[in-house]
Amino acid sequence: MGPGHVTGWSRRTSTHPRFQYILGRCILGLLAFVAVAVTTPAAAQTDTGTGDEAPLPPIFLTVTAQSSVVAADGSFLVEVAITPADLLTRRSEAEDFELAVTVFDRVADEPGVDLPPSVPLNRLEPVRLGDLVPSRAGHYRLELPLRSGGDTQTSRVLLTESGVYPVTIELRNNDGTVAANRTNLIRMSDGDRDPDNQQNPDDLPFARPLGVATVLTVVPAEGVTVDDARRLLLNHPTAPITILMSEGVASQLRADTELAAEFAQAVGDRPVISGPMVDLDPSALAEIGRPGIYQRALDETWDDLRLLGLEPETDTTVVTRELTAAGVETLGEMGITTVVDTSPASTSNGYLQAGDHRIDLLRFDTDLSELFDEGTSGVLQANRVLAHLALRAGNDNTPVVLGGPALGQRPIDGLDVFLGWLAETDATRALGLSEVADTNLRRRPAERPTQNLAAESGLLADIESILAGFEAMSGDTDGDGIGTTPDEYRRRLWSALALERNVDDRRRALLVFSEELGQELEVITLPVAQTVTMAARDGSVPLIIESRAAGPRQIMLRFRSDKFKVLQDSQLVTVEPGTSSIDVEVQARSLGSSQIEVSVWTPDGNIRLATNQFQVRSTAVPGLGLLISGGALVFLIIWWFIDHRKLRRVRKWGPDSVESGEGGLDVTGDVMERGHADRSPRLADQGDRRRLVGHQ
């Protein structure tokens, strides 16, 4: 093979005329195909209608505003938006589009609101879009005048009874319907002509205003966020909205003080409610005699809200499980009078009674709250809720509570519209949460708590005792430099008891927590015993204490001894991390050596932390011994002095002088034995004369 040779290709083949012809045609065909593919979309985009028009893009018809309710002889107003907004400017025959409205027969009950309408009642004449003047936002407004009877004007829609009437709005062109939407016309009862509904007892929608309380559940994300809630509250400054807080939102506000101040300003003096920051079961804790855990958690939650500029309702709490009689009594003793029950088993409002305590029980209407679905516009969401309320008011005028997770996890558009309608219409009445309680319906407490803590009762008792001791040791410190604070340990305890944990997980969490908490009390030790000598009656003995704690700790010192009195007995002292020396003031009761037993306790005196003994030797005479010794010495001196005087008198005057002396011991026998056995006649005569004189 020579240079330039390629396998499967020959110079003769490449220069053959027929081959060159075929190759040229293929290249031209390929270029033509590319040109058509490139120019066809451009031609379609530049087509101005001088031929076959391009297919319509997806078109949407959205209800942007409408009348909340309509009087018997009023007008129903509805406003729609067409998307894309520049559709008409892009079409050469925009006047071919028209809006057609159909009113259907009224629905019989609440489920009918959510079903497709079936029986047309009145088909209005379609209106060409070219005859309508759009608003600045590009929306189109339609008006449907109503008549309740007697009026022969056929241009007004005849609706003889109050109720909820489905209404469809269609956007049509020459090819048929291109977009449609559905709403509801809520026609009020004819109170002027029949105020007592004597002619038609079934004509009851909103015959009496239905009370509605709204609880705004604020969540950290993906729902009614802090910004959404603040905007909603500012849009409705007078609406009696109750704000339900959660720990996630509180943490978010603690991290952003500026946002917390803005949120507190928007809330104003409206009520704020909350359960404990961790979901605890008050009934389960009450059953094992530990209701203080729930109360402490709730109190701390309220304190956190106050630090954020919010004032919580301290007579209201939120529970997620049914209450037992013990739970009712526990909450009643805490001053709770209203409970918002979000448990799945909760049915309706009422009250619970246990002993002397009564608690109003409120629940969210989950079915209505879930109608604020993001799948439709806010106006249609509000309309569906209002339609349900209209039909319910005809049968039951019991107030309802909107709120809970079903409402908190959805955008605020529908709720924003609904709150506006509550303020502008007499069909409903906005209520505060305290006005909703049904004082006539008594509910039975649950027989047993959802959570069973009987197996952990003893462990919880030990944990609470240790935690109380550790809290006392930590004192009034603000948490800086002391390691884990008592409040942090309490939060961990609440987390271990959370309802979301199963039995095994809860038990494991409590055991781990108990071990870690117990180590906080093992950081105080006393060194090896030592011997101390005291040369005085009163003195100080150095006591060495070692602390491995992360910060200062308060402890109580207790002493016991038979021969020494310790002035600092049961005294509280503060020890710093490391080795500390404390001078213990001691008083000796006697000479010699004795042991002093020292023990270290938590400040509440319930838990002993460490114990040891040290030897103390006293070489000083105690006060009592000195007094006895001094008294004995004085007695001996007096004895010696008297004896000495008597001996001198005997030597000088004779033995008989002792008897006439001034008292003392009789020592005459001894004197006579020492050389005075022979009595002198002279002395005898003198004695006889004294006796004779005495008798005279």
Side-chain angles (χ1 to χ4, degrees), residues 462-543:
D462 295 339
I463 288 176
E464 281 207 286
S465 178
I466 297 174
L467 188 54
F470 174 66
E471 187 172 20
M473 290 177 64
S474 301
D476 297 330
T477 55
D478 57 2
D480 295 336
I482 71 167
T484 305
T485 65
D487 288 342
E488 291 171 341
Y489 272 118
R490 288 196 180 278
R491 294 189 184 98
R492 289 184 55 186
L493 173 61
W494 301 334
S495 176
L497 293 172
L499 278 163
E500 62 186 16
R501 293 183 181 270
N502 58 39
V503 176
D504 295 336
D505 188 24
R506 181 176 66 246
R507 180 72 177 180
R508 183 167 49 252
L510 287 174
L511 289 174
V512 172
F513 173 78
S514 177
E515 182 179 355
E516 293 182 5
L517 180 61
Q519 294 175 358
E520 291 284 355
L521 304 186
E522 298 174 357
V523 297
I524 304 296
T525 57
L526 295 173
V528 180
Q530 53 186 341
T531 302
V532 180
T533 301
M534 292 178 52
R537 174 174 171 270
D538 298 335
S540 61
V541 176
L543 176 63

Side-chain angles (χ1 to χ4, degrees), residues 72-73 146-152 157-160 187 193:
D73 294 295
L146 304 183
R147 60 189 177 99
S148 57
D151 190 348
T152 59
V157 179
L158 177 63
L159 300 178
T160 58
R187 190 259 205 201
R193 292 191 295 117

